[in-house]
Amino acid sequence: MTVQGQPDFPAEFLFGSATSAYQIEGGVREGGRTPSIWDTFAHTPGKVLAGDTGDVAVDHYHRWREDIDLMSDLGLQVYRFSVSWSRVQPTGRGPAVQQGLDFYRSLVDGLLEKNITPWLTLYHWDLPQELEDAGGWPERATAERFAEYATLVADALGDRVVHWTTLNEPWCSAFLGYASGVHAPGRTDQAASLRAAHHLNLGHGLGVQALRAALPARAKVGVSLNPAVPRAKTDSPGDVDAERRIMALANGVFEGPMLHGAYPADLISDTASITDWSFVQDGDLATAHQPLDALGVNYYSPLLVSTVEGTDEVERRDGHGASEHSPWPGADKVAFHRPTGVPITEMGWPVDPTGMEELLLRLTREAPGLPLYITENGMAAEDKVGLDGTVNDTDRIAYLHGHLGAVRDAMAQGADVRGYFLWSLLDNFEWAYGYSKRFGTVYVDFDSQERTPKASARWYADLIRSRTLPPAE
Ligand code: IFM
């Protein structure tokens, strides 16, 4: 609810936009970069829609100056991007490649010149292929390599970047990458996915320690999670149990170690037939549980769940891509449904801002005192350039209006939300969907690479200027 005479968002609230390296950069063979798991995966026939790859993406590697100008025109205060590990430390071991570091240093300097605060994510899913060849995230050594990489980037950019994020959405890395296989590296081994989840937790903890050791005291360190908002379809015990399982498998698996230093007991028992968790070594959970300055929250949509009885087929509209392999180890009987009566985005994700408010209030209870930032929120829409050359994405404006209203309402109820990053600045490579899904507020013609701000970009610019939600129409 808007309070009369007051802006919806306080003066110190940060508005920005987000991207990730593989989704926008291109230039995959330049500057000493070698393949990451996403290069390999995208070049494997049948893995990405239409055979799309990130080879060129939206050519940000060459057009970053123009992209910073776009951000500046929109009045963005902060820009969240990720560093490509393969560009900075191509084999995942040893010294950094100066050209890779220089690219990010120029980008950061360009942002600072325009008064845009850089918000750096170290890992947005693009593991150097050589580390996957050595076993990937299911192996403990990958967590150790990640901490070394964190030190290299911190040493190079710590004098100019204040805001650091270890991992983006480790749930996707672990479970889409190693259980359902719809993301790189495309493995379908549930036990390996749980090992991966643990080593991502450990990598986060080691990464935070490495960053704290290398960065000045003013640095702020956090992680971006994509917590699920599961909702039981009915209040039957089976459906309530489905909600509980997904809470543990989507949220407790990372929030437990990172925020509380323990895995939830029900996660361990729900997955007992898959793993005995003996890969968790003494001290790992304390390492994963590092003091944080920020918790990044990526929210798009809630999940409607039920439990399937007997041999009934399990419907899996969880929005995480089609695979006969489930990304939910220990939840074979959980079905995911599409709710009726709400709009559905191009990703097939229901639009429901109440999930945003519910999530922010839950995290406020879960991690009192930890500042929250919405590090991703937005929608894929069927954007078209009109005859007049404009893109009138009214559905995206309605989505943003609803979700930012939910952020404001959660803040009014005590959630300490300090910023919002719209996903995404530019249309880009949407992983297994290739270029078929447009999330940008700036339209990109993927042939000419011409950028055209959509109506939502202007709407967002108005919001940033006025700090009050402009009407959705
Ligand atoms: O494009 C992705 C992003 O890389 C991670 N979070 C979800 C977005 C939309 O699917």
Side-chain angles (χ1 to χ4, degrees), residues 83-413:
V83 171
S84 154
W85 189 342
S86 303
R87 205 178 277 297
V88 161
Q89 193 195 31
T91 60
R93 291 188 183 77
V97 167
Q98 194 56 44
Q99 242 184 301
L101 291 175
D102 286 347
F103 169 71
Y104 294 105
R105 192 189 291 258
S106 306
L107 175 71
V108 164
D109 287 347
L111 290 166
L112 293 172
E113 269 167 36
K114 297 274 185 184
N115 279 323
I116 301 170
T117 301
W119 190 285
L120 185 153
T121 300
L122 285 167
Y123 186 73
H124 197 123
W125 308 352
D126 44 358
L127 189 71
Q129 182 61 43
E130 284 204 24
L131 292 185
E132 174 58 24
D133 295 344
W137 284 110
E139 291 303 316
R140 189 177 181 85
T142 303
E144 292 157 5
R145 295 291 84 74
F146 175 70
E148 291 163 12
Y149 156 66
T151 302
L152 294 179
V153 183
D155 283 345
L157 300 176
D159 58 344
R160 51 199 79 195
V161 174
V162 173
H163 300 277
W164 295 75
T165 299
T166 53
L167 307 175
N168 178 69
E169 302 185 1
W171 186 86
C172 298
S173 300
F175 298 106
L176 301 182
Y178 292 95
S180 70
V182 298
H183 278 189
R187 284 159 64 178
T188 53
D189 174 343
Q190 293 201 330
S193 73
L194 291 164
R195 290 174 68 99
H198 178 64
H199 296 132
L200 283 153
N201 279 318
L202 182 64
H204 159 77
L206 294 171
V208 175
Q209 288 176 339
L211 290 174
R212 299 266 188 227
L215 292 172
R218 71 190 168 110
K220 305 278 184 208
V221 180
V223 63
S224 283
L225 302 178
N226 58 323
V229 180
R231 290 170 173 171
K233 193 160 182 243
T234 71
D235 56 9
S236 73
D239 292 0
V240 171
D241 187 63
E243 180 182 311
R244 179 197 63 70
R245 276 176 196 266
I246 298 306
M247 277 300 271
L249 277 167
N251 304 337
V253 64
F254 297 109
E255 290 170 25
M258 291 182 188
L259 304 180
H260 308 297
Y263 283 109
D266 58 345
L267 173 71
I268 306 292
S269 54
D270 289 348
T271 54
S273 63
I274 301 166
T275 180
D276 62 4
W277 292 81
S278 56
F279 44 82
V280 181
Q281 298 186 8
D282 285 353
D284 284 3
L285 290 165
T287 302
H289 184 205
Q290 294 297 314
L292 298 177
D293 304 305
L295 179 60
V297 182
N298 297 357
Y299 171 82
Y300 291 88
S301 190
L303 291 171
L304 187 62
V305 297
S306 69
T307 293
V308 161
E309 304 296 339
T311 55
D312 284 359
E313 208 177 311
V314 174
E315 177 185 348
R316 205 158 51 67
R317 283 181 186 250
D318 57 8
H320 293 301
S323 166
E324 61 193 274
H325 302 276
S326 165
W328 304 102
D332 315 338
K333 291 287 172 194
V334 175
F336 296 81
H337 309 274
R338 185 172 283 182
T340 50
V342 296
I344 305 287
T345 74
E346 276 290 284
M347 294 294 282
W349 300 348
V351 177
D352 187 348
T354 65
M356 172 75 96
E357 185 176 334
E358 184 182 325
L359 173 59
L360 293 172
L361 295 176
R362 179 180 75 74
L363 290 172
T364 299
R365 293 190 299 273
E366 189 80 26
L370 184 57
L372 305 176
Y373 290 82
I374 311 302
T375 41
E376 284 184 28
N377 177 243
M379 75 175 278
E382 208 191 349
D383 301 317
K384 295 263 186 295
V385 184
L387 290 175
D388 60 355
T390 65
V391 181
N392 199 12
D393 55 340
T394 46
D395 38 6
R396 183 172 290 103
I397 293 174
Y399 181 98
L400 297 174
H401 187 275
H403 286 77
L404 278 151
V407 174
R408 174 201 57 202
D409 293 350
M411 289 166 71
Q413 294 165 74

